[in-house]
Structures are given as structure tokens and as C-alpha cells.
Amino acid sequence: MINKRFNYLLDISITETVIVFEQVKDEIIKKAQQEVLALSVPVVPIQDKTAVLPLIGSIDLERAEFISENVILKIIEMKVERLIVDFSGILDIDTIAERYLFDIYSVLRLQGIEVMMTGIRPELAQIVVRNGIDFSSIKTYATVKQAIETQKS
């Protein structure tokens, strides 16, 4: 009887330990994912009131929402007047994320921030055109260097 009681208590203890371990592990993973998201879209000041937002990797709904909810506020807080969004590091982008990026452009424009886009590779441009998104009102350049030089003149 004592042995059964001890085994029962030991089972409960192990089960509770595993549950707490899983919760802590999930919290650590979620925190790490948030840090990776924050680091994946840095706003880099390059000149007085000019910054670059280099986009790298795949842009999915989660990253697009993060940019929309967090990066826009950071750009406004930095008092940026010109923002260069660089797409040269984009591997893939989905339709929903494209729309988010266009909405981000619209929000920044309404805040008085001039937005320029650079590094849109031909295959990315084809995807955007195929999905019916009109980027004709956005200033686009081949490279960040070209966008900066245009601003100097």
C-alpha cells in the first residue's frame, strides 16, 4: 500500500514537472521568436532624417504584421523624413504580405514620410504585378546607393 501511494505521488510529481517544463520551454521559444522578428527588420539611420529598412528572408503575414505594428512607430519616433525600403534580401513574399507592405507605405506617406523602394528583383516584380498591386505611385530604384544619390541631387 505504501509503495502504491509512493508511486502515485511520484507519477503526479513527474507529470507536474513535465507540464511546467513544457510551459517554460514554450515561453522561451516565443520570446526568442519575438527577438528574431525584432532583429529581422531593423531601421538603420544612414543620413540626417533618412533611414533604410532592409527586408531579408521571406515575408509572411506574421512579419508583415510585425512591421505594421512596430516598425512604423519606430520610424515615426526616429523623426525619419525619408525611408528607403530595400527588398534586395527578400526571398519570397505572399499576397497578404504584399498588401500589408503597400498599406505600410500608405501609412508612412500619410505621416509625411517619403518612402522609396529599392532592390525589387524581376521575379518579385512579376509576382507583385501578377497579384494586381499597383506600385506606380512609389519611387523605386535599383539600389540603395542609387536612391541616396538621387536625394543628394
Side-chain angles (χ1 to χ4, degrees):
M1 170 122 160
I2 293 174
N3 202 15
K4 283 184 180 180
R5 190 75 167 153
F6 180 75
N7 285 339
Y8 175 74
L9 291 173
L10 190 58
D11 285 346
I12 290 174
S13 176
I14 290 172
T15 302
E16 290 297 318
T17 302
V18 168
I19 290 171
V20 169
F21 174 78
E22 289 294 323
Q23 290 172 341
V24 169
K25 178 190 73 151
D26 290 344
E27 288 174 18
I28 290 170
I29 289 171
K30 187 173 183 173
K31 184 178 177 184
Q33 288 172 334
Q34 289 297 319
E35 289 177 10
V36 167
L37 260 179
L39 292 172
S40 70
V41 283
V43 179
V44 183
I46 54 170
Q47 292 178 343
D48 187 37
K49 304 207 184 253
T50 302
V52 175
L53 175 63
L55 300 175
I56 300 168
S58 296
I59 303 289
D60 57 6
L61 178 60
E62 183 180 14
R63 278 191 70 198
E65 284 178 344
F66 181 83
I67 293 168
S68 179
E69 294 168 3
N70 298 294
V71 176
I72 289 176
L73 293 174
K74 185 176 180 180
I75 291 167
I76 293 169
E77 287 172 3
M78 292 173 66
K79 298 186 183 344
V80 170
E81 292 179 3
R82 288 172 299 285
L83 179 70
I84 301 168
V85 181
D86 183 37
F87 286 86
S88 59
I90 295 290
L91 301 173
D92 189 31
I93 188 167
D94 65 24
T95 307
I96 297 170
E98 289 173 26
R99 299 211 186 279
Y100 261 93
L101 291 175
F102 191 75
D103 291 345
I104 291 166
Y105 162 76
S106 298
V107 168
L108 291 173
R109 195 175 69 191
L110 288 171
Q111 295 295 315
I113 298 170
E114 179 185 1
V115 180
M116 298 163 276
M117 296 191 178
T118 63
I120 301 174
R121 295 186 325 274
E123 54 273 9
L124 184 61
Q126 288 173 343
I127 292 169
V128 168
V129 170
R130 199 173 318 125
N131 291 331
I133 297 190
D134 181 19
F135 274 67
S136 63
S137 63
I138 302 172
K139 292 181 183 177
T140 58
Y141 301 93
T143 64
V144 172
K145 181 180 178 186
Q146 186 182 44
I148 293 169
E149 288 173 352
T150 304
Q151 295 305 307
K152 289 179 181 177
S153 50

